Amino acid sequence: MDTRVDLGDLPVDTSAPVLVTGATGYVAGWIVKGLLDAGATVHAAVRDPGNTDKVRHLLAAADASPGTLRLFASDLLQDGSYREAMQDCRTVIHTASPFIRTVRDPQRDLVDPAVHGTRNVLNTATEVASVERVVLTSSIAAMVGDAQDVQRLPGRIVTEETWNTTSSLTHEPYSYSKTLAEREAWTIAQAQDRWRLVTVNPGLVIGPSLNPDPTSESFAIARQMASGEARFGAPRIALAVVDVREVAYAHLAAAFLPEAKGRHLVVAETTDIVDLGRRLLPAYGATLGLPRRAVPKPLAVALAPVIKLPRAYVRRNIGFDLRSDTTKSRRALGVRYRPAQQSMEEMVGQLVASKTPKN
Ligand code: NAP
């Protein structure tokens, strides 16, 4: 397993600290590790620096690297709470945003932290004179909400021009939160001219986690695979996926390549749960109850709540392809994508190992 982010000849600037918000997260963990391995000083903004379970893997990465880690207490909903962490930083990488699917109050639990948090971090960037670039972790979810968005696209291909027009507080609120947050980021960026905004818009991120107890919704599918929950079949809903190490690389390229600008769709390939399950058969077919066949649409819609997916989402997305044009990420950022099978095998392998009793 690759335990490093392959930075190639990326010109990582180690002369000023780099702020990473949401540093405890799955995606941020690999960004922080990439920076530390390159010898940078990372200002890691986390909600609770004293929560050792959440920061242990970051401290371990710092110990094993030439870089330096400093933890700061910051909350998306507390205005000004990123100011101290941002001091002297030329680069801000804003990843913090809740990625959870099941919420009680979508406005309070998703939209407020995503949008208010983006405003909070980016307004502080405007106040702190050292900041020259802000990289925002947006998402393919800010580009497409469901298959209806894709149907109206030229050639039905998602590109950096595409915006999600279908999500709302009541339909796919996570995607709605990401759309509103990215739109807000562009508005704030355009109102000033010192720092440049660059966004990274990944598909569903897969691959191993540095934190042994990940909270990201990314792990829902891998857990389904490892638990045998989908052994009788699963709905074939197109998933655009990408390895977490490529996502980390894309953030660092967006941060340090002088010419990087605009949005970047970061996707390795389109697959679905059944396809991923079949591809895991050689490694795990004998031990795990993997999904091997597609559930017909009417049954999938009826069973949607069992697999924790909204019925409307299943109804509107089964049977549609999702094609992404990733030319810009490859050419402008230099992303080289590994196959999804490798990422998924490592992700599932990690979950299986964490449940295997140790002698
Ligand atoms: P994650 O592991 O759950 O990370 C989310 C991070 O946001 C955590 O560090 C969390 O801090 C922080 N956060 C949440 N609410 C906060 C608040 N009120 N104040 C401060 N920090 C807060 O999920 P992830 O998958 O790494 O997601 C990271 C980013 O990538 C998000 O912007 C997400 O939208 C984006 N993204 C993810 C995927 C994917 O498939 N994973 C795909 C596209 C985009 P705590 O640890 O304290 O909760």
Side-chain angles (χ1 to χ4, degrees):
M1 180 173 102
D2 266 349
T3 53
R4 293 174 78 90
V5 179
D6 182 2
L7 296 179
D9 51 7
L10 205 63
V12 176
D13 175 7
T14 56
S15 66
V18 177
L19 170 61
V20 180
T21 75
T24 52
Y26 166 51
V27 169
W30 283 100
I31 297 173
V32 171
K33 186 166 190 306
L35 286 165
L36 290 170
D37 286 344
T41 295
V42 179
H43 286 190
V46 302
R47 276 199 268 200
D48 180 3
N51 185 338
T52 44
D53 286 345
K54 288 217 164 199
V55 299
R56 192 176 290 117
H57 63 289
L58 299 176
L59 299 172
D63 277 350
S65 77
T68 304
L69 181 76
R70 293 183 62 200
L71 298 173
F72 293 82
S74 313
D75 195 300
L76 291 171
L77 297 170
Q78 269 173 36
D79 285 338
S81 73
Y82 289 88
R83 190 166 294 122
E84 195 196 341
M86 212 179 285
Q87 286 313 312
D88 303 325
C89 295
R90 266 202 284 274
T91 310
V92 171
I93 303 182
H94 177 38
T95 82
S97 203
F99 182 30
I100 31 181
R101 227 186 157 112
T102 316
V103 292
R104 248 191 248 158
D105 179 342
Q107 179 70 41
R108 183 196 64 193
D109 301 334
L110 290 169
V111 173
D112 286 348
V115 178
H116 191 97
T118 297
R119 213 176 278 143
N120 188 6
V121 173
L122 271 55
N123 283 341
T124 303
T126 304
E127 287 162 22
V128 175
S130 56
V131 177
E132 293 173 7
R133 190 168 293 190
V134 176
V135 178
L136 173 76
T137 316
S138 187
S139 172
I140 194 172
M143 297 171 154
V144 277
D146 61 30
Q148 278 188 17
D149 276 314
V150 181
Q151 297 316 299
R152 59 174 179 75
L153 297 176
R156 299 190 178 170
I157 296 174
V158 184
T159 71
E160 279 80 9
E161 305 299 312
T162 314
W163 279 94
N164 176 338
T165 61
T166 53
S167 297
S168 67
L169 267 185
T170 52
H171 177 66
E172 292 304 297
Y174 164 72
S175 302
Y176 187 54
S177 76
K178 294 303 286 181
T179 310
L180 294 183
E182 194 193 323
R183 285 210 182 273
E184 182 68 13
W186 285 113
T187 303
I188 297 170
Q190 277 147 17
Q192 56 79 54
D193 57 13
R194 177 169 31 77
W195 51 265
R196 182 191 294 177
L197 178 67
V198 184
T199 75
V200 175
N201 296 62
L204 179 73
V205 184
I206 59 174
S209 169
L210 289 171
N211 177 349
D213 192 16
T215 56
S216 170
E217 190 69 30
S218 271
F219 285 81
I221 289 176
R223 287 197 186 100
Q224 251 181 42
M225 303 273 185
S227 70
E229 209 177 304
R231 64 190 175 284
F232 300 116
R236 294 199 88 148
I237 297 178
L239 293 170
V241 297
V242 57
D243 189 275
V244 68
R245 291 154 289 193
E246 270 78 87
V247 175
Y249 169 85
H251 280 79
L252 299 179
F256 299 117
L257 287 176
E259 303 305 324
K261 58 172 186 284
R263 309 172 91 196
H264 300 85
L265 177 58
V266 176
V267 166
E269 57 183 286
T270 296
T271 175
D272 60 56
I273 300 187
V274 177
D275 177 49
L276 283 173
R278 286 178 185 161
R279 288 205 249 168
L280 286 175
L281 286 173
Y284 295 108
T287 48
L288 299 179
L290 296 166
R292 294 167 190 240
R293 61 187 76 87
V295 169
K297 187 166 181 174
L299 186 60
V301 173
L303 292 178
V306 180
I307 48 170
K308 297 185 191 71
L309 285 176
R311 279 212 170 91
Y313 176 78
V314 174
R315 191 179 302 116
R316 285 159 76 142
N317 289 288
I318 274 191
F320 289 98
D321 196 10
L322 181 59
R323 285 192 289 158
S324 309
D325 180 351
T326 54
T327 311
K328 187 177 175 193
S329 68
R330 292 171 201 269
R331 292 211 183 131
L333 299 183
V335 182
R336 283 173 296 154
Y337 294 103
R338 80 192 71 203
Q341 175 162 349
Q342 186 188 336
S343 317
M344 205 65 199
E345 274 179 8
E346 291 178 6
M347 192 181 201
V348 169
Q350 202 180 36
L351 283 178
V352 171
S354 73
K355 291 195 178 65
T356 308
K358 294 178 183 63
N359 294 325

